[in-house]
Amino acid sequence: MSIGIGTVVEAFDLLYASLLSKGFSKSLSLHEWGERDLLPLVRTYLLGYFGESLVPEARATLPGSLSGNGRLDFIVGGVAVEFAVRKPTAAKSNLSASVNSSEVKKLMKYDGHALLVLFDFSKSPYTSEQIEAFRDWPSLGKGNHQKSPFNVAYFFIKSRRPITTDVITKNIRVR
């Protein structure tokens, strides 16, 4: 089975909907957990979904950091994945392009398919136009940097009664 961006987005779509499902999360209130709390669960889920195609905490180039290195959250069958979460009570900026600039830099420097996964559990989701802000590239610093395109998958709650979810996907290309 070939693993592409679409396959990874489908996997995260199932996970996002399940985290919001009372039948699945029971008394854990998983939709209130932040990125740090959810990452071990996401890692375990992806291991079960993709098997040995998963590489967690892979080394990556991070321009602007002291060492010049960073870590990608996951590589799934050659697709680099960075993951960010906005809790129900968190500020809207938690998922913004400026707050996630280091994640975007790592994805831009990855030589291959790349995906930024954003889980928004709040009552005020971003619009498609607000997701367009990821097209404004962060500075990679001095030098002639090779930049790769990446994708954004923004998962949000479309309606609360009954709970329905939706995803906005964008392909962000180098100008």
Side-chain angles (χ1 to χ4, degrees), residues 5-27:
I5 298 285
T7 307
V8 177
V9 170
E10 285 176 20
F12 275 99
D13 191 30
L14 174 61
L15 177 62
Y16 183 74
S18 297
L19 293 176
L20 289 166
S21 167
K22 271 292 195 200
F24 176 77
S25 64
K26 299 289 182 183
S27 63

Side-chain angles (χ1 to χ4, degrees), residues 64-76:
S65 69
L66 291 176
S67 67
N69 297 311
R71 296 210 177 261
L72 291 165
D73 290 334
F74 310 102
I75 296 180
V76 181

Side-chain angles (χ1 to χ4, degrees), residues 103-170:
E103 283 81 359
V104 169
K105 288 177 185 180
K106 289 183 271 185
L107 294 174
M108 286 172 44
K109 293 299 289 178
Y110 182 74
D111 186 23
H113 295 291
L115 176 67
L116 176 61
V117 175
L118 306 172
F119 278 10
D120 190 348
F121 295 114
S122 73
K123 292 181 181 179
S124 57
Y126 279 86
T127 63
S128 183
E129 293 76 31
Q130 289 171 315
I131 299 298
E132 289 285 328
F134 282 96
R135 295 192 189 279
D136 299 330
W137 297 94
S139 172
L140 296 179
K142 293 181 180 179
N144 186 14
H145 293 277
Q146 184 71 25
K147 300 176 204 159
S148 298
F150 66 97
N151 294 275
V152 175
Y154 171 69
F155 296 89
F156 63 98
I157 301 169
K158 190 173 185 176
S159 73
R160 297 228 170 237
R161 294 190 190 255
I163 290 186
T164 56
T165 62
D166 203 359
V167 61
I168 296 172
T169 56
K170 300 275 183 191

Side-chain angles (χ1 to χ4, degrees), residues 1-4 7-8 11-12 42-58 72-81 110 113:
M1 166 176 102
S2 175
I3 300 173
T7 307
V8 177
F12 275 99
V42 173
R43 180 190 287 192
T44 305
Y45 168 76
L46 293 175
L47 177 63
Y49 198 99
F50 294 107
E52 293 183 12
S53 299
L54 175 71
V55 178
E57 298 182 33
L72 291 165
D73 290 334
F74 310 102
I75 296 180
V76 181
V79 177
V81 178
Y110 182 74
H113 295 291

